[in-house]
Amino acid sequence: MLLENNKLLDNKTILITGGTGSFGKCFTKYVLEHYNPKKVIIYSRDEFKQSVMQGQFSEYADKLRFFIGDVRDKERLYRAFEGVDYVIHAAALKQVPACEYNPNEAIKTNIHGAQNVIDAALDSNVKKVVALSTDKAVNPVNLYGGTKLVSDKLFIAANAYAGNKDINFSIVRYGNVAGSRGSIIPVFHNIIKNGGKELPITDYRMTRFWISLTQGVELVIKALEEATGGETFISKIPSFNVTDLAKAMLPDCEMKEIGIRPGEKLHEIMVTVEDSMTTYEYDKHFIVYPQVVWNDKQMINTSGKKVEEGFSYSSGNNAEWLSVEDIRELLKSVDLGD
């Protein structure tokens, strides 16, 4: 799906923090295939991953730039942001157990790094910043979610410091991408590949949303296109039962309930009851608007409908569900690296 403004990114310089990750590579590919950007800058700290990505995108060498740096390093960000129009902030420490064991490191990257990105953007004539969030930032029960909640609040409040500058900050929130590293699909896949007949289920009641990387990319572009400052964009996507995923991947499999893990939730939550006060529903997405308006640039897109007070949106109360057959069909498009 190409969004309405198909010239949005033409002749623009776009920088992606954490750009060598799954999202960064998919976003880069999408933008280079659908638009004519002036330049796409990959900002990350892993030189090997940058080298691999250079090889994967060799046909676009004239459009791509690779910038080694860490979001913890404010001076390096300032240098990288020179001449940049749009910033997509995807860099984060994301593994829940790693963040629990290394809390200071998670805080340095996910919170201090977020503030560094904000400061550099405000001082570098960047026009738009879209930060990636997660369902784990909603009513967080682990440190990763806690740091991402703070990050979200920082990006939303950054609009208060825009003043007369032509810049706005917004958030895009989604859960685990289908097939992403550490998520349930590759875990099941590896068990099946090694001949396993029993799949572990943390809780038989567990549900999740289904979103592809491409859908995540399109939501970010929607935010670049529409945001006026402070919005949180959330896709309307189907839910599935984890037990149905197991049946889709290994028919007639045995399922063993092993107990919910520390920091894990039964359902992915995207919009809370408290958020409902400022949430609007659109054809294919929701927008949670900020409760505070800092400038006259911020606007509510009234083409949508305000949700009812008390509304919430989670994978457990969704109106759209995937059947076992639906999941089996969608699995065909999931890249599991085999």
Side-chain angles (χ1 to χ4, degrees):
M1 178 190 71
L2 187 59
L3 300 170
E4 293 174 10
N5 185 358
N6 61 4
K7 300 294 184 184
L8 175 71
L9 304 181
D10 286 1
N11 203 34
K12 295 292 191 295
T13 296
I14 307 135
L15 181 142
I16 314 163
T17 69
T20 57
S22 299
F23 171 86
K25 287 189 283 190
C26 186
F27 181 88
T28 300
K29 184 174 186 289
Y30 190 98
V31 168
L32 292 171
E33 289 181 351
H34 291 87
Y35 299 91
N36 183 29
K38 180 178 180 181
K39 188 165 40 177
V40 177
I41 301 171
I42 305 302
Y43 183 95
S44 69
R45 61 186 183 180
D46 191 320
E47 60 179 333
F48 176 72
K49 288 181 181 178
Q50 287 196 4
S51 176
V52 170
M53 189 171 174
Q54 276 182 294
Q56 293 170 334
F57 288 86
S58 57
E59 63 184 297
Y60 298 106
D62 61 323
K63 296 283 187 182
L64 282 177
R65 301 293 182 272
F66 290 85
F67 213 113
I68 293 174
D70 196 313
V71 292
R72 299 181 184 188
D73 187 341
K74 185 183 283 191
E75 289 184 6
R76 188 65 169 161
L77 281 171
Y78 271 75
R79 181 67 66 200
F81 280 23
E82 288 181 12
V84 169
D85 298 295
Y86 300 149
V87 171
I88 313 301
H89 178 54
L93 292 183
K94 302 181 177 75
Q95 295 294 325
V96 170
C99 290
E100 294 295 321
Y101 190 72
N102 304 279
N104 289 339
E105 299 305 303
I107 290 166
K108 288 174 187 175
T109 296
N110 297 353
I111 297 177
H112 298 162
Q115 187 61 56
N116 288 340
V117 168
I118 290 164
D119 290 340
L122 284 168
D123 294 339
S124 303
N125 296 316
V126 169
K127 300 295 187 294
K128 289 178 180 283
V129 179
V130 177
L132 301 191
S133 183
T134 167
D135 66 287
K136 295 176 182 65
V138 182
N139 294 340
V141 295
N142 53 55
L143 186 79
Y144 168 55
T147 60
K148 290 300 287 183
L149 170 64
V150 175
S151 173
D152 289 357
K153 296 291 187 183
L154 288 172
F155 277 102
I156 290 169
N159 292 282
Y161 301 95
N164 293 323
K165 295 177 180 177
D166 181 21
I167 184 173
N168 68 59
F169 299 81
S170 61
I171 304 291
V172 162
R173 178 183 295 157
Y174 51 81
N176 282 332
V177 171
S180 59
R181 283 178 303 171
S183 63
I184 191 64
I185 293 174
V187 170
F188 284 177
H189 176 71
N190 286 333
I191 292 172
I192 295 165
K193 187 171 66 173
N194 291 319
K197 301 297 182 184
E198 181 181 86
L199 298 179
I201 308 291
T202 53
D203 191 297
Y204 292 145
R205 300 166 294 170
M206 186 168 287
T207 66
R208 289 293 180 261
F209 284 111
W210 186 287
I211 188 169
S212 68
L213 267 177
T214 300
Q215 287 174 303
V217 167
E218 288 173 346
L219 188 62
V220 168
I221 294 175
K222 169 71 77 175
L224 286 173
E225 187 175 51
E226 294 186 0
T228 60
E231 302 96 329
T232 300
F233 290 78
I234 298 155
S235 283
K236 293 166 75 172
I237 46 181
S239 295
F240 64 92
N241 290 299
V242 173
T243 52
D244 285 342
L245 173 67
K247 294 172 188 174
M249 295 186 71
L250 186 61
D252 301 319
C253 68
E254 296 179 20
M255 287 180 267
K256 181 181 180 182
E257 192 173 42
I258 61 174
I260 200 163
R261 295 173 296 182
E264 191 174 38
K265 296 179 181 178
L266 278 178
H267 311 293
E268 291 183 329
I269 305 170
M270 297 294 183
V271 180
T272 66
V273 170
E274 292 75 21
D275 285 333
S276 69
M277 304 293 289
T278 55
T279 299
Y280 279 69
E281 180 178 0
Y282 302 87
D283 184 31
K284 295 183 178 178
H285 64 287
F286 296 97
I287 296 179
V288 181
Y289 289 93
Q291 296 182 2
V292 179
V293 177
W294 295 282
N295 57 59
D296 58 8
K297 302 173 202 169
Q298 292 173 253
M299 295 173 58
I300 290 177
N301 180 348
T302 54
S303 67
K305 176 185 175 184
K306 190 178 182 305
V307 303
E308 294 181 1
E309 186 174 338
F311 169 86
S312 66
Y313 182 55
S314 84
S315 60
N317 69 4
N318 199 357
E320 184 182 0
W321 288 82
L322 297 173
S323 68
V324 172
E325 286 303 319
D326 293 333
I327 296 169
R328 192 170 290 135
E329 189 62 29
L330 286 169
L331 283 167
K332 294 176 183 177
S333 62
V334 175
D335 181 8
L336 292 169
D338 289 345

